[in-house]
Amino acid sequence: MTAKTPVNIILLGPPGAGKGTQAARLVEERNMVQLSTGDMLRAAKDSGTEMGNRVAEVMARGELVTDEIVIGLIEEQLTTVNADGFIFDGFPRTLAQADALGELLEKTGQSLDAVIEMQVNDEVLVSRILNRAAEAVAAGGTARADDNEESLKLRLMEYYKKTSPLIGYYHAKGKLQSIDGLGQIDEVAVSIGDIVAKATEA
Ligand code: AMP
């Protein structure tokens, strides 16, 4: 069996678009490594690190944490983890982060193969996220601190103001592929799988 070329992709989309769910599928099915800055920040908060404590309130409000912090987290992973490809989930979220990612990949001799924009309308996002919170509570756990209506409004605003310009940025670089994120999880997984498979063959 010949070794597969690692494929690195970004899952781009507003909160609730299904980035984490689809990233988990790719991890399972393709042995890729998910790099979720949201998960890394929540882990830092839960373990009570100084940085975690510093960002906890910003995250709970639904605002973005500083570029410097998240770029540092990604740099650490890219320079230490060996993978059959990375899935960037929730990173980059600003143009400065996108530039930094480009530089980091170049420095580590890696490529960015596709940016997959998951398109979902706002009503679906709000109901998905509020359901996620209700399900977590029903299962005896606690909802994410930012999975409430007020924080969600800010998170969506942050997305449209700071992250959606990345759609144009990656389109101009010839990397953007947009898919319908409204279908069933399996259907969306097929669309993403096709893009990843094509990138693997390229
Ligand atoms: P997520 O789990 O991706 O929805 O991220 C949860 C929260 O973590 C966001 O609302 C931000 O406060 C913070 N966060 C995650 N990733 C980033 C990023 N790339 N840049 C800035 N803030 C981030």
Side-chain angles (χ1 to χ4, degrees), residues 151-168:
S151 302
L152 183 53
K153 259 192 218 152
L154 242 162
R155 285 159 69 197
L156 279 172
M157 190 67 86
E158 291 281 72
Y159 177 78
Y160 291 117
K161 275 200 311 210
K162 297 176 183 164
T163 309
S164 67
L166 298 186
I167 296 169

Side-chain angles (χ1 to χ4, degrees), residues 20-70:
T21 304
Q22 294 299 331
R25 291 281 293 251
L26 290 168
V27 169
E28 205 176 291
E29 291 164 13
R30 294 179 185 267
N31 213 18
M32 294 170 79
V33 168
Q34 175 188 13
L35 296 182
S36 157
T37 40
D39 286 349
M40 294 175 209
L41 292 165
R42 277 184 291 278
K45 187 187 96 177
D46 292 345
S47 56
T49 65
E50 194 252 312
M51 182 271 278
N53 293 338
R54 219 166 356 118
V55 298
E57 270 186 37
V58 176
M59 289 175 74
R61 275 201 302 274
E63 289 166 17
L64 295 188
V65 310
T66 63
D67 289 333
E68 198 192 346
I69 288 177
V70 288

